[in-house]
């Protein structure tokens, strides 16, 4: 597609429920990144996929968080047993290769009540 | 580890004022440096970048020079406009590490 597409744009969920956030990167971009933007915390790296390599999961805050990327394209970020501190904007970005900057999606605003 | 520190906001200026947003970094190698901007209600966009020491990135009247000796990448603009109101993020990427590390962002308000 023309840009990075994320869905849903907004998600309100009850504490303890699981949520899935979707990212559709730009066609042909081999690298895909998930970040979390919390008020006053800036952008926090979560996970990074590059081609067929094992993902860099070093930023995932707990084992309740997981992500997969199917067929080298669409990615899903799953948060299990959501907590109120998970409330944030979750941003996805993709990149063509190491020498280019990222293109960000508009994000999913997650609110856990 | 690698990190980026930028001045805390919010920064409030009058239109046509001179802008500086300070950014310093810590890195083990020779990173690429970036400024990203997030306008109200929009996603992050790359504003400018520099990939080696003494490089100057520029875009939309904004400039930043990669200063290795002071490990800095300060953002400047000579005359700001109301439309520059946004959140600005300084960021770096190590050559050997593909993820970009962001600062906490600086919110800029320009008053007419």
């Amino acid at each position: 597609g023309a840009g990075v597409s994320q869905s849903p744009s907004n998600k309100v969920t009850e504490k303890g429920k699981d949520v899935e956030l979707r990212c559709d990167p730009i066609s042909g971009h081999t690298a895909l990144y998930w970040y979390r933007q919390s008020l006053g915390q800036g952008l926090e790296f979560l996970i990074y996929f590059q081609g067929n390599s094992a993902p860099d999961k070093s930023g995932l805050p707990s084992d309740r968080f997981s992500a997969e990327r199917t067929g080298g394209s669409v990615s899903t970020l799953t948060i299990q047993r959501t907590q109120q501190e998970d409330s944030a904007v979750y941003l996805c970005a993709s990149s063509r290769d190491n020498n280019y900057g990222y293109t960000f999606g508009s994000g999913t605003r997650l609110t856990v009540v | 580890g690698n990190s980026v520190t930028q001045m805390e906001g919010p920064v409030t200026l009058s239109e046509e004022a001179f802008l500086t947003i300070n950014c310093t970094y810590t890195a083990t190698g020779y990173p690429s440096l970036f400024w990203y901007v997030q306008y109200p209600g929009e996603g992050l966009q790359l504003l400018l970048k520099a990939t080696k020491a003494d490089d100057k990135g520029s875009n939309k009247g904004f400039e930043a020079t990669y200063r290795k000796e002071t490990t800095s990448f300060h953002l400047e603009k000579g005359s700001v406009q109301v439309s520059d109101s946004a959140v600005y993020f300084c960021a770096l990427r190590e050559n050997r590490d593909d993820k970009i590390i962001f600062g906490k962002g600086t919110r800029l308000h320009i008053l007419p």
Side-chain angles (χ1 to χ4, degrees):
Chain A
V4 177
S5 177
Q6 291 188 244
S7 61
S9 55
N10 280 285
K11 176 73 176 178
V12 179
T13 189
E14 291 181 354
K15 178 181 172 181
K17 300 283 190 184
D18 298 352
V19 296
E20 286 189 351
L21 312 180
R22 176 187 168 106
C23 173
D24 218 322
I26 292 174
S27 178
H29 280 196
T30 57
L32 186 147
Y33 313 81
W34 284 98
Y35 286 81
R36 178 167 70 176
Q37 185 176 19
S38 305
L39 199 61
Q41 296 300 315
L43 271 77
E44 177 187 6
F45 166 76
L46 297 177
I47 188 169
Y48 157 52
F49 297 89
Q50 172 63 58
N52 295 321
S53 301
D56 176 354
K57 304 179 182 180
S58 61
L60 294 178
S62 77
D63 59 7
R64 297 186 296 105
F65 288 73
S66 63
E68 62 177 20
R69 188 179 185 192
T70 54
S73 181
V74 172
S75 177
T76 302
L77 177 69
T78 301
I79 309 174
Q80 296 177 311
R81 304 181 302 281
T82 52
Q83 304 295 314
Q84 287 187 328
E85 62 262 29
D86 299 335
S87 297
V89 177
Y90 288 82
L91 294 169
C92 176
S94 69
S95 175
R96 188 162 63 185
D97 63 34
N98 298 349
N99 292 322
Y100 289 82
Y102 298 177
T103 301
F104 278 87
S106 296
T108 294
R109 182 176 297 278
L110 175 67
T111 304
V112 182
V113 297
Chain B
N2 299 336
S3 65
V4 175
T5 302
Q6 59 183 107
M7 63 191 294
E8 292 188 17
V11 173
T12 302
L13 296 172
S14 297
E15 203 165 24
E16 300 183 2
F18 183 87
L19 168 71
T20 300
I21 300 178
N22 289 337
C23 171
T24 56
Y25 67 89
T26 302
T28 53
Y30 301 94
S32 295
L33 301 174
F34 307 85
W35 277 99
Y36 278 78
V37 59
Q38 187 174 32
Y39 296 104
E42 299 184 16
L44 272 84
Q45 306 171 25
L46 178 64
L47 179 61
L48 54 83
K49 68 176 182 177
T51 57
K52 61 183 186 296
D54 299 325
D55 268 3
K56 177 183 285 188
S58 61
N59 186 23
K60 299 182 179 180
F62 289 89
E63 293 183 340
T65 301
Y66 189 142
R67 301 286 188 199
K68 185 171 179 296
E69 63 276 15
T70 54
T71 61
S72 65
F73 193 55
H74 304 323
L75 183 68
E76 296 182 337
K77 185 173 185 180
S79 177
V80 293
Q81 305 300 313
V82 172
S83 58
D84 294 326
S85 297
V87 181
Y88 293 81
F89 293 89
C90 186
L92 71 80
R93 184 183 63 212
E94 280 277 22
N95 290 333
R96 298 175 184 175
D97 188 337
D98 297 331
K99 62 183 180 280
I100 293 181
I101 296 170
F102 290 86
K104 292 190 174 183
T106 302
R107 185 174 296 277
L108 175 66
H109 293 292
I110 306 299
L111 304 175

